[in-house]
Every structure is written in structure tokens, then in C-alpha cells.
Amino acid sequence: MPESRYDYIIVGGGSAGCVLANRLSASGKHRVCLLEAGPEDRTPLISTPGAFAYFMFSRKYNWMFDSEAKPDIRNGQPVFCPQGKTLGGGSAINAMVYIRGHRCDYNHWAALGNRGWGYDDLLPYFRKNETNERGGNEYHGDSGPIYVSDCRNYYPLNDRFLQAAEQAGFPITDDFNGADQEGVGYYQFTIREGKRCSASHGYLRPARSRPNLDVVCHAQATRILFEGRHAVGVEISRRGKTESLQADREVLLSAGAYNSPKLLMLSGVGAGDTLAGSGISPVHELPGVGENLQEHVDSCVLQYSLRNDGFRASLGGLLGQAPHLFRYLFTKTGKLESSVTQAGGFLKTRPDLEAPDVQLHFLPLLYDDSGRDLKLMARSGYSCHACVLRPKSRGRVTLDSPDPFAPPRIDLNFFDHPDDRKTLVEGIRLVRSILAAPAFDDYRGAELNPGPDAKSDEEILARAKERLGLVYHPSGTCKMGSDEMAVVDDELRVRGLESLRVVDASIMPTLIGGNTNAPVMVIAEKAADLILAPQERL
Ligand SMILES: Cc1cc2nc3c(=O)[nH]c(=O)nc-3n(C[C@H](O)[C@H](O)[C@H](O)COP(=O)(O)OP(=O)(O)OC[C@H]3O[C@@H](n4cnc5c(N)ncnc54)[C@H](O)[C@@H]3O)c2cc1C
């Protein structure tokens, strides 16, 4: 049973929540409660890097949201929006790619008026977050909670991808998180000795025995409790019962970019008309809640392979993996010790750009619809996905009803801005140029998508929309700033309210150019410093 009174209540035990739980409980001076709607993260499937696909089907560990359907996207089907639902959140079910983004992303946040959020301000937190197996230097840490390791590659196709990129004229890099992000190469991963290193593994587990930290799973926050403008606690639903917990200092929302704005709205904080439309009594008018949604929209080139040394989800293909299952069980090595995607890159679609505007994820298999298209995956092939790194379109998260157990309504508003369409098409063209290079000559079968008939921009875009996907980086729905649509200030305090902050991917004013797990953990590291009294800061 949780106590009913704490100094800090953290809602959501994901990437950000686990960092906060560790840092806020470290001094022993504060009573901290971490609430998580999902279960404990004890299944070996979470720690096994190669078990990624399992979570795309698991209602137990994944919120399994869908976006609103659009007639021209995926033939009118909704786009799948997976979100982690267990300790570790997204970091427990993600592809473990360790990326920080480009320095210009954070400098842009600072230029918008957010003091202390420039790249040079955040670099110390990135270093504090990681233990890089290559050791520390001016860009990398060697003693942080998250272990970052090099790729262990078992597929010749990945090497071919790097060779092909070089042949096509692109630079090769061995560190996307160093001085220069641009290039093609192998990613690094949040994996330690063949096991996933989620925020729960890195930050929460070492702190769980602290007497001043309670971790409560299967506890879904249904409302923030207010006295006037002051957040004083949280109402939760646990084992079918409603309970109230009191927060003497602060309530910290770390429920992720879909669920944090949802909880604010359920609690009466949001745009007046949206709240009224969902039958919720307003507590505080804040028009930006749920707005400004950004995601890395992606599509892919799918190529049949003439050889059978990639991954296939056919009976024969799976039987061929059996030795790797045993190898993993006994030694934590083999194909299951690696992520589903290993090689990729950050490229510019125009040479005059300050930073890469597309990211590539190469996979030695035919991968579409978040790995849920098993029929496709049973065939022999390879894929390269390209995403728009800084989308200009903005979507929104709203509610259909005041029911806390109903999913949020997610409108990704894809391609509202024409530049996003252009960037995606150019990204697909870059991918095609790599896959056409000589290194793939003895692998290259027919192109399945966009397909040989898709030549003009319009044809490529139409096929890209049919295979449209996400890189699962929703953000921006409680943006940091000072304009009227900002939800939190640059200390992440909800504007116009007291004792309430949002600390997760929602606060990004603009989506960073890269995968978001490390940036979110760094947001939480900085938030912990902002929350704690100056004498307690590390
Ligand atoms: C399938 C997938 C693959 C990804 N791959 C990568 C990758 O390879 N590399 C990378 O850098 N990033 C990746 N990401 C993105 C990255 O993991 C996320 O950006 C990051 O985890 C977000 O952290 P967060 O703290 O904002 O939210 P989350 O980590 O999602 O945490 C939110 C937590 O709050 C809980 N919660 C929600 N509502 C409530 C409530 N009402 N009450 C109590 N608890 C609640 C949730 O269950 C969850 O545990 C991936 C994400 C997904 C989903």
C-alpha cells in the first residue's frame, strides 16, 4: 500500500519519471512516490533487445494508441502509435538507438527564450546520463546510469549498407553524438552486456531500496487535485479502487506526450472549448495543452533480396534463428543481443542546410507497419526508412470524453506543411541512391516500395503515404516557452498554476533531430536540478 502523503508525486514511470524518481529521492530528505499505470518490467522479454517486435502486439506493455485515420494515408487506416506502459515507459520497449539530436535543436530552444536549454547548457547532462563503453571525452560520459554500447552486427546486409552509402557519396561516421552528426554509420545502443538498459534499469533499480521512495505500479492517475490554483495531489485508480495521494511540494507529470496533456485536460487544464466539448469543468484556461504535436513521420524503400541472409519471419527463417535463441539464453550474445535496426544515418536533402533534415534506419528485413506486417516480413528483403527530422506540420491531442480510461484522440495532421512532403520525397530519393549502389548488386531484387513505376515526386509521395509510419517520437504537446500557447515555462512549471510541472517529451517546443529517449532523460536530469533546492544540486 502506498502512503497517502509525499513531498513529490511523479505521474508516469517512463524515461523521464525514472530519472526524476532517482534524483529526487537521492538525498533521503524527500518522500517521493512514482506512479505507473502499467506493470513492473520484470519480464525477460523487456531485457532481450531482439524481442522488440513482441511489444508491438502487447496490450499489457503498450498503450497501443492509433492516430485518427486520413483517407490518403495507409489507405485510410489509422497509423499505429505505440507507447510504453511499464516501468521504463518508452525506454522499456524501444529500439534502444542512442541519439542526442543536433546542437542546433537545443540552441533553437534557447533562442526561443528558454534560458538554460542551449546545447552547451545540456551537454553536461548528456555526459552525466551515460556510461559509454568507448570511454569518456568532451562529448561522452563514462560514469552515468545509462550504459551505451556499440552495435554487435550479425547481418552482412548492414555492412553492405555502409559500403553502398560511401559509394553513393555520403560521409561515414562512427559517432552520431560527437562533434558532427552528419553521415551514415552504425548506431550506438542503450544495451549492456546483451541486455536492454532502460531508464528503469539505469535509474530506478539502483534507487528502489531507498525507504523514502515508493514505486506503485498498476496505478493510473485519473485527475490532478487542486486547491484553487495549487496542485495538492493526485487521484489514482488502482485495482479498481479510487484513491487520493497528497503532494506537499509538487506534482510532476511524466506521463508522455499523449498522456500528460490528456491528464491535464481531464483535470480541467486546457483550452476552454476543448474542455467544454469533452464535458470537463475548467480549472484553468491554457490553450496550448495538447497542441503543437510533432512526430518523426517516415516511409520506406522496401527491396526484395536475392539472398537469404537477412531476417525472415517465415517458418524456415525462424527455425534458422533457433541457434541464436540458445546462444542468447546461455551467453547473452548472438542476434538477440542486438536491436532490430543497427545502421542508419543523418543526411541533408540540400547542401546549404545547417543540419541533416532526414534520418535513415536500415533493417535487414522487410519492415513496415511497426513490424506488424508479418506476411511481408516472411519474405526475403531489406528496408531503409527515411524520416522528416524537423516536421513543420503540427498535430494535436484532444479528448473524446471525460473517461480517464478512454484513449486520447491523436491527430498527427501529417503533411499539413508542404515542406514536409518535399523533405520526405527527397529522403526517399536519397535512400534509393544508396540502395542502387554497387555494394547491393548481388542482393538487389525488385523494389517493392515505392516501386519502379514511382518516379515523379507526386508518385513517390503517394506510395510513401501508403506505407507511412512513425519513429515513435511524439512531443511538443505541453510546450515550454513564454508565448500564449506555451504550457510550461523554462523551469517546466505549468503556467498560471502552482506546484505542478510537466517533465517529459511533451515539453519540447520543437522536436529534436534524432531519436528522443536520451533527450527526454536529459530533460528530466535538468528538471531534477531545477526542482531541488540549490544546496542539494549535484
Ligand atoms: C516502439 C518505440 C520505439 C522507440 N525507439 C526509440 C529508439 O530506438 N531510440 C530512442 O531514443 N527513442 C526511441 N523511442 C522514443 C523514446 O523511447 C521516447 O521518446 C521516450 O521513452 C519518451 O519518454 P517519456 O518519459 O516522455 O514518456 P514514456 O517513456 O512513454 O513514459 C510515460 C510513462 O507514463 C505512464 N503513464 C501514462 N499515463 C499515466 C497515468 N495516467 N498514470 C500513471 N502512469 C501513466 C506510461 O505507462 C509510461 O510508463 C521509441 C519509442 C517507442 C514507443
Side-chain angles (χ1 to χ4, degrees), residues 12 14-16 36-37 63 86 90 94-97 221 472 504-505 515-517:
S15 299
E36 170 53 46
W63 290 87
T86 178
N94 71 14
M96 296 154 288
V97 174
Y472 325 121
D504 61 24
N515 312 70
T516 44
N517 186 36

Side-chain angles (χ1 to χ4, degrees), residues 11-17 35-38 52 56 63 82-86 88-91 93-99 219-221 254-257 259 263 471-473 504-505 515-518 520:
V11 178
S15 299
L35 297 172
E36 170 53 46
F52 174 85
M56 299 305 106
W63 290 87
Q83 287 283 281
K85 187 181 184 182
T86 178
S91 72
I93 68 162
N94 71 14
M96 296 154 288
V97 174
Y98 181 81
I99 290 289
Q220 181 165 339
S254 299
N259 280 317
L263 191 57
V471 200
Y472 325 121
H473 300 153
D504 61 24
N515 312 70
T516 44
N517 186 36
V520 169

Side-chain angles (χ1 to χ4, degrees), residues 354-412:
E354 180 190 4
D357 58 341
V358 291
Q359 182 180 1
L360 311 186
H361 291 92
F362 179 79
L363 299 98
L365 65 152
L366 288 170
Y367 183 91
D368 180 37
D369 193 17
S370 304
R372 299 189 305 169
D373 188 342
L374 297 176
K375 216 166 133 194
L376 175 73
M377 233 175 358
R379 307 191 63 174
S380 204
Y382 44 97
S383 328
C384 188
H385 288 240
C387 77
V388 179
L389 276 178
R390 287 178 198 81
K392 294 182 180 168
S393 308
R394 297 288 184 265
R396 62 199 302 239
V397 176
T398 48
L399 302 184
D400 280 330
S401 81
D403 175 6
F405 302 102
R409 179 194 284 259
I410 299 168
D411 179 0
L412 285 157

Side-chain angles (χ1 to χ4, degrees), residues 10-18 34-39 52 55-56 61-63 65 80-100 188-190 196 199 216 218-223 234-236 253-260 262-263 266 295 339 341 361 367 370 404 471-475 503-508 514-521 524:
I10 304 160
V11 178
S15 299
C18 289
L34 178 68
L35 297 172
E36 170 53 46
F52 174 85
F55 296 99
M56 299 305 106
Y61 297 107
N62 186 343
W63 290 87
F65 293 144
F80 185 48
C81 303
Q83 287 283 281
K85 187 181 184 182
T86 178
L87 292 176
S91 72
I93 68 162
N94 71 14
M96 296 154 288
V97 174
Y98 181 81
I99 290 289
R100 295 172 172 182
Q188 285 199 298
F189 296 92
T190 50
R196 175 192 294 272
V216 191
H218 297 290
Q220 181 165 339
T222 47
R223 202 157 55 99
V234 178
E235 179 188 89
I236 62 169
L253 286 194
S254 299
Y258 297 132
N259 280 317
S260 282
K262 175 183 157 186
L263 191 57
L266 285 172
E295 242 287 12
S339 171
T341 180
H361 291 92
Y367 183 91
S370 304
V471 200
Y472 325 121
H473 300 153
S475 59
V503 182
D504 61 24
S506 334
I507 68 95
M508 294 186 186
N515 312 70
T516 44
N517 186 36
V520 169
M521 290 187 284

Side-chain angles (χ1 to χ4, degrees), residues 478-491:
C478 301
K479 80 165 181 176
M480 168 171 68
S482 51
D483 62 285
E484 64 166 21
M485 295 305 280
V487 175
V488 297
D489 66 13
D490 59 15
E491 297 207 7

Side-chain angles (χ1 to χ4, degrees), residues 281-344:
S281 315
V283 168
H284 176 57
E285 169 95 22
L286 210 46
V289 173
E291 300 294 328
N292 193 45
L293 171 63
Q294 293 153 76
E295 242 287 12
H296 284 140
V297 176
D298 100 340
S299 196
C300 51
V301 177
L302 301 174
Q303 193 97 40
Y304 287 123
S305 173
L306 302 175
R307 300 170 66 162
N308 271 339
D309 54 8
F311 175 85
R312 278 175 305 137
S314 61
L315 186 59
L318 292 172
L319 285 174
Q321 305 293 331
H324 283 276
L325 176 60
F326 289 105
R327 182 169 165 188
Y328 185 77
L329 286 174
F330 292 109
T331 66
K332 296 288 173 277
T333 63
K335 287 179 179 170
L336 288 170
E337 70 166 314
S338 298
S339 171
V340 60
T341 180
Q342 298 178 316

